[in-house]
Every structure is written in structure tokens, then in C-alpha cells.
Amino acid sequence: AICHWLHRHQDKAAMSATTSPVPLIGTSDPIGPSIIEAFETLDKWKGCRVDGAPKRMVYEHNRSRAAGSGFPSCMELGLSRGLSEHEVASLFGWTTGDYRWETVEFEDYPFLPNKMTKVKCHLTRDDVMPYVHVLGSALSKLPPLLSTQTLWRGHRRKLDSTDVGGIVILKGFTSVTRDRDTASEFVTKANEGRSGERTLLAFLDHKSSRCIAKFSALNNEMEVMFPLDTTFEIVSPPEGGSGEDQKAVEAAVRRLQKEMPEAEIDLVYLKEIPG
């Protein structure tokens, strides 16, 4: 997903909200006019390996969709909370699949709705870094969630170590959810991810998480984001409180094993280590 560099109109008011320097979560660079301009001119499909691919201007496309999604719209909600149009567009785009630009190599369908032609596309690090900066700026303006609210992530790979005290760095921006069932459903999608060894992550203590559900195309997922390269420590299960979690994992394993007989899902509890 862009997440390794990110883990998917402009008026005077929007420009004034984004061109003054803003400290970012996960990066020390401010947002300035050059970053805004680069974000506005980012063409998602410019590197598609096929002749005749149309342009897909990421900012304008996501801005338009955010302005037309919901009532009040995602754009209206974002502006009312002090975000710029660029920042709302970056959050909305993340939730629609821009996170898939993993290592900036991804597959997409540039000819829809006329042709179902899937093509490989490529963007450079320099291409996507403006998106990273704007998304980081958006997160920096949102309030953190209560640190006592458990968050969940269905991780479609096994952690290198699950020993208590181990350190886990989640590269790029990381999406999680407030709903355990949503994370369990995500981790059991056999057609996404090659490995049958997977992990359900439970975040017991966190300081930098930001709720983005109101700016999401999929607000039923109750999505929350951590900033770039957030670091966590593996901790013991909560006393007397992991039984239902374990039952949920066992049920998820049974579902996944119907399509991947070798499937295993670890349950790992984490707490954030402040940067």
C-alpha cells in the first residue's frame, strides 16, 4: 500500500489552511505550497504499464468523492473540524484503497467502466511523498482516541516473534478498527494475502491513534489510523479479559481453514511505545 511511503478545487480558504507550516505526526517536514502543488498534480495512473491509460488526478478525484459522500458530507465534516480540503481528500482516498500502493507498485483498472482491464502501475517515492505529508498533516490535527479503548487489526501475516516484551514496528501508516469483528473478518479473507499464518492484533494502550471514520468511504468499519512507523511492545493478555477474544480467534480460524486448511491465527496484545 502507499502505506510504505504513506504501510489510497482548491479555493483561497483551502490554500490558507494548508500552506502555513504544520507539524506532522511521523515526519518533521512542514506542509508548504510546493507540497500542495505536487499533491494536486499527482496522477495515479501515469506509470501504468499499458498504452492509452487516462489520467487520474488523485487529489481532485478524492476531493470530489469526499464532497459528495454522506450528509453532511465527509468534506463538510472535515472542514468543520479544521482540516483543509487537501487533508480531507487524503484521508478519504486512504479509505478507498490508496493504501494499496504498496512499495508504490500496485494493480488497478484505469479503463473502467468501459473495460475490466487490470494493469500493473508504478509510482516513485518522490511521486507519493506529497500524499504522505498531507495525510500526516491531517492526522496531526485530529484528537487522539482514549488510550483505554481497545483497537484491532487483522494482520495477514505472522509476526516474527510473539514473545511478551518483543518490539513491533508497523511500517507506514496503519489502519485499525474499534470493532473486533471487523478485524476478524479482514484477517479471514483467503483471497487477500498469500500466507495462511496470520495475526489478530489487539492494541490495549495507545497514544497517537486518530479516528478517521467520519472522513471514510466505509464508515461502518469504524476506522482508526496510527501515524508513520508507530512502535509497540508485545504485552500479556489483560487479566480475566481475553477469553472472548480467544473464542473470536478460534471462530476466525475455522472460517479461514475452509479455504486454507493450514491456516493459523495468533492473538497478540500490544501497547504503544511513545516516539
Side-chain angles (χ1 to χ4, degrees), residues 127-142:
D127 288 332
V128 301
M129 282 307 296
Y131 201 139
V132 172
H133 289 301
V134 176
L135 187 54
S137 176
L139 291 181
S140 74
K141 293 182 179 180
L142 297 176

Side-chain angles (χ1 to χ4, degrees), residues 92-163:
F92 189 89
W94 172 271
T95 69
T96 62
D98 287 351
Y99 66 87
R100 293 181 298 109
W101 303 354
E102 188 162 8
T103 62
V104 288
E105 292 277 354
F106 61 99
E107 294 182 329
D108 214 339
Y109 298 87
F111 298 106
L112 287 178
N114 299 320
K115 291 192 296 183
M116 285 286 295
T117 304
K118 186 188 233 183
V119 300
K120 292 186 180 296
C121 303
H122 173 79
L123 292 169
T124 68
R125 182 177 186 276
D126 288 343
D127 288 332
V128 301
M129 282 307 296
Y131 201 139
V132 172
H133 289 301
V134 176
L135 187 54
S137 176
L139 291 181
S140 74
K141 293 182 179 180
L142 297 176
L145 284 180
L146 290 175
S147 63
T148 55
Q149 182 174 11
T150 301
L151 303 175
W152 301 89
R153 176 177 171 81
H155 202 58
R156 295 193 187 117
R157 58 182 63 87
K158 188 179 180 67
L159 297 183
D160 293 336
S161 172
T162 57
D163 295 337

Side-chain angles (χ1 to χ4, degrees), residues 37-55:
E37 181 180 2
F39 181 46
E40 291 178 348
T41 56
L42 173 57
D43 178 4
K44 178 180 180 180
W45 292 336
K46 76 172 188 175
C48 289
R49 298 187 175 99
V50 64
D51 292 334
K55 289 186 176 182

Side-chain angles (χ1 to χ4, degrees), residues 160-171:
D160 293 336
S161 172
T162 57
D163 295 337
V164 171
I167 301 300
V168 177
I169 301 175
L170 296 179
K171 293 295 186 180

